Amino acid sequence: MIIAPSLLASNFGRFADETRRASKARADWLHLDIMDGHFVPNISFGPEVVRVLRPLTKMKFDVHLMCSRPEILLEPFAKAGADHLTVHVELGDRVTALLWKIRSLGIKVGLALNPPTAIANVRPLLDKIDILLIMTVNPGFGGQPFIHEVLPKIQQAAACRRERGLGFRIEVDGGINLPTAVECARAGADTFVSGTALFGQRQLGRAVRKMREAVRAAAPAPADCAALSR
Ligand code: DX5
Ligand code: ZN
């Protein structure tokens, strides 16, 4: 079980301190949301921020590109210190080439899908990725409520993974707090991005630990998994 606080919900005037805070809180990954003002109606930050934060922590940098032209950003983010690069399946025909490019940069490959996008759209690509990022809000802003209608998609992804013997992570992102993280874990998620519900806590270490314990306890036993796929 991986807990990944999202920097988007941290204090934008203190990225370095907030990164150290997440690191001290024993978060597994730091999730970095890159928004271009075109793919989503918001702008966040670019590779330079990743570059200056990189020496501050050993946490994996999980970079989520909500961008219309990720092709121009893959190398800059790789050079800046991204450990994972995730692109959106909604970009269409270009996606396969983007996944290969990420792989060729020696970085973990992530593929994201928005709430209205069906699992069928990612199915042909599942053997090419390390992380499937299932958006549980419409991307663009932190602090939105979790969309419960996405839960069956998490179950479908878990069933596909099992049936095909694949090893990609199932990551959820948007509106993740203690109760919604538990719902996602029951459905088969193993990686939890959480912005507002974690960075909003004074005791971040305690919040990370509680979320990790809760999702561990909620994860389906292997026997339940088999039942779910039937
Ligand atoms: C939404 C981003 C999320 C966001 C989650 O577009 O992809 O990573 O930071 O924030 P919360 O947890 O506040 O919904
Ligand atoms: Zn994200």
Side-chain angles (χ1 to χ4, degrees):
M1 292 294 183
I2 295 280
I3 307 295
S6 173
L7 196 67
L8 192 72
S10 74
N11 181 334
F12 266 45
R14 303 167 43 128
F15 275 155
D17 290 343
E18 295 285 66
T19 299
R20 286 192 202 98
R21 192 158 78 95
S23 193
K24 269 179 78 179
R26 297 185 161 273
D28 304 283
W29 298 355
L30 186 67
H31 186 79
L32 298 119
D33 286 307
I34 313 303
M35 303 179 176
D36 67 350
H38 187 263
F39 187 79
V40 288
N42 196 6
I43 292 180
S44 58
F45 47 81
E48 184 60 12
V49 170
V50 173
R51 194 185 67 78
V52 299
L53 298 179
R54 183 64 282 179
L56 305 180
T57 175
K58 289 200 165 71
M59 282 183 298
K60 299 284 184 206
F61 279 5
D62 185 42
V63 175
H64 176 192
L65 297 173
M66 285 160 275
C67 303
S68 296
R69 292 187 59 210
E71 35 281 274
I72 59 169
L73 296 170
L74 300 178
E75 279 194 47
F77 276 104
K79 279 199 185 122
D83 295 287
H84 317 146
L85 279 168
T86 294
V87 293
H88 270 261
V89 74
E90 290 81 10
L91 296 172
D93 292 347
R94 290 178 291 151
V95 171
T96 307
L98 289 165
L99 302 182
W100 281 112
K101 176 72 187 170
I102 298 169
R103 181 75 69 206
S104 76
L105 290 167
I107 284 178
K108 296 261 191 236
V109 180
L111 182 63
L113 74 169
N114 285 337
T117 305
I119 274 290
N121 294 56
V122 297
R123 213 173 257 136
L125 301 167
L126 293 176
D127 58 350
K128 296 175 179 56
I129 64 171
D130 302 301
I131 302 161
L132 181 68
L133 174 52
I134 300 183
M135 291 302 302
T136 43
V137 300
N138 288 303
F141 300 92
Q144 303 181 72
F146 180 83
I147 300 174
H148 283 86
E149 286 74 10
V150 178
L151 284 168
K153 212 152 68 175
I154 301 170
Q155 293 183 338
Q156 289 166 9
C160 278
R161 180 171 65 178
R162 212 166 33 247
E163 281 156 15
R164 292 169 58 183
L166 297 171
F168 60 86
R169 289 197 156 271
I170 300 178
E171 181 175 29
V172 286
D173 182 9
I176 300 296
N177 52 32
L178 216 46
T180 59
V182 164
E183 287 185 73
C184 291
R186 281 198 191 117
D190 50 48
T191 305
F192 303 83
V193 175
S194 175
T196 312
L198 290 182
F199 270 110
Q201 302 295 319
R202 199 184 274 269
Q203 294 190 43
L204 184 54
R206 190 163 167 266
V208 167
R209 198 170 58 244
K210 273 178 78 173
M211 189 173 283
R212 194 181 281 122
E213 281 166 8
V215 294
R216 272 188 190 152
D224 298 345
C225 286
L228 251 178
S229 68
R230 278 200 288 272

